[in-house]
């Protein structure tokens, strides 16, 4: 059977979210690069895959998907094994907790951390100087979020409970790049969050992806 295809480079945060799930379940896949400089993401071929002209896009036979979280859920459902059950859909309450913390990542954690990553990245520097106001405001937001995470992770090893899940993995791409910014030491003030992050980084699937992602150094 032909492997599934992921369109977009591994170094993109939203692409990495999909790839780390494919690695976790041990699925075969092919990464098809999309050349942003050549505006390939806005080409008619790519707009068929993703009508918003964004990456990632995904193909499994005649199925075309976009939106990284939806793609990742498809992957986790399709290749679910007893030893790799990252959505916990066999248990209503556990699945609900996975959903809660997946939403927290999308709507609370990401909006706080992503502007810092963006402002401190070398690609942003090539275009514009760092907007320190944005960084400072985002750091304040991130501290408030990390306080909640610290309380949660002092009671459980992972966000949804005492089991690793899709909710934890969702945090990997932006946190990985955040750790390459001058603000990485912020996590030292939250020991349970730091230990959780180290547990995520120790996963073979995460290590493999991390090696392919070029940190956006300040
Ligand atoms: N919500 C989308 C966001 C996708 C997204 O923002 N992709 C960026 C790269 S990480 C992109 O393609 N940007 C180019 C553009 O918007 O024109 C997802 O999770 O897949």
């Amino acid at each position: 059977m032909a492997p599934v295809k992921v369109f977009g480079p591994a170094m993109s945060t939203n692409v990495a979210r999909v790839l780390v799930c494919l690695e976790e379940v041990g699925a075969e896949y092919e990464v098809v690069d999309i050349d942003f400089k050549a505006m390939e993401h806005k080409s008619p071929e790519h707009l068929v895959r993703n009508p918003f002209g964004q990456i990632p896009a995904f193909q499994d036979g005649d199925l075309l998907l976009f939106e990284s979280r939806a793609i990742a859920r498809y992957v986790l459902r399709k290749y679910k094994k007893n030893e790799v059950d990252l959505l916990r859909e066999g248990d209503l309450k556990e699945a609900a907790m996975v959903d809660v913390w997946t939403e927290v990542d999308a709507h609370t954690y990401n909006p706080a951390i992503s502007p810092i990553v963006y402002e401190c990245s070398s690609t942003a520097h090539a275009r514009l100087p760092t907007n320190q106001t944005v960084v400072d405001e985002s750091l304040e937001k991130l501290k408030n979020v990390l306080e909640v995470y610290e309380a949660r992770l002092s009671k459980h090893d992972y966000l949804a409970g005492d089991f690793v899940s899709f909710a934890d993995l969702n945090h990997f791409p932006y946190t990985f790049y955040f750790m390459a910014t001058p603000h990485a030491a912020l996590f030292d003030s939250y020991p349970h969050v730091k230990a959780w992050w180290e547990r995520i980084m120790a996963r073979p699937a995460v290590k493999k992806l991390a090696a392919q992602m070029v940190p956006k150094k300040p």
Side-chain angles (χ1 to χ4, degrees):
M1 206 167 47
V4 298
K5 288 183 186 173
V6 180
F7 296 85
M11 63 176 287
S12 152
T13 48
N14 291 306
V15 176
R17 172 177 294 114
V18 172
L19 298 183
V20 81
C21 289
L22 283 159
E23 287 292 340
E24 284 282 353
V25 295
E28 245 190 279
Y29 63 91
E30 181 189 339
V31 177
V32 182
D33 200 16
I34 294 290
D35 186 348
F36 262 53
K37 283 202 185 104
M39 297 298 284
E40 211 187 326
H41 55 308
K42 305 295 179 193
S43 67
E45 291 83 353
H46 191 72
L47 287 171
V48 172
R49 301 178 197 118
N50 183 330
F52 295 102
Q54 293 187 321
I55 54 165
F58 176 87
Q59 184 173 13
D60 184 6
D62 60 3
L63 177 71
L64 290 174
L65 296 175
F66 57 95
E67 280 298 336
S68 59
R69 289 174 183 81
I71 300 169
R73 280 197 183 89
Y74 172 80
V75 163
L76 295 178
R77 286 185 187 120
K78 174 165 176 165
Y79 299 101
K80 175 180 165 290
K81 300 171 193 150
N82 284 341
E83 64 279 17
V84 194
D85 179 8
L86 293 163
L87 295 174
R88 312 292 281 205
E89 288 183 330
D91 184 306
L92 196 56
K93 289 184 182 172
E94 287 180 356
M97 292 311 286
V98 175
D99 286 349
V100 166
W101 288 97
T102 298
E103 294 295 317
V104 171
D105 169 64
H107 304 297
T108 308
Y109 186 87
N110 253 352
I113 202 168
S114 61
I116 305 165
V117 169
Y118 179 75
E119 288 296 334
C120 297
S121 76
S122 53
T123 43
H125 278 183
R127 293 193 298 271
L128 292 166
T130 299
N131 184 330
Q132 200 53 45
T133 308
V134 168
V135 173
D136 292 345
E137 285 173 3
S138 301
L139 281 169
E140 286 313 306
K141 282 186 200 158
L142 184 59
K143 283 180 198 166
N144 291 335
V145 177
L146 290 178
E147 269 173 38
V148 175
Y149 276 48
E150 181 66 11
R152 174 74 184 162
L153 292 164
S154 66
K155 295 197 189 97
H156 298 285
D157 283 350
Y158 294 96
L159 289 170
D162 291 315
F163 52 87
V164 68
S165 77
F166 179 50
D168 304 295
L169 292 180
N170 267 307
H171 291 72
F172 158 63
Y174 272 109
T175 311
F176 177 72
Y177 284 132
F178 178 83
M179 291 304 182
T181 74
H183 306 288
L186 177 66
F187 273 54
D188 295 343
S189 308
Y190 306 93
H192 291 92
V193 178
K194 185 85 189 278
W196 162 77
W197 173 244
E198 284 165 2
R199 279 195 290 280
I200 294 175
M201 282 306 289
R203 298 184 69 76
V206 173
K207 276 190 195 161
K208 185 166 174 185
L209 248 292
Q212 295 170 44
M213 294 161 72
V214 182
K216 294 170 182 171
K217 289 217 168 74

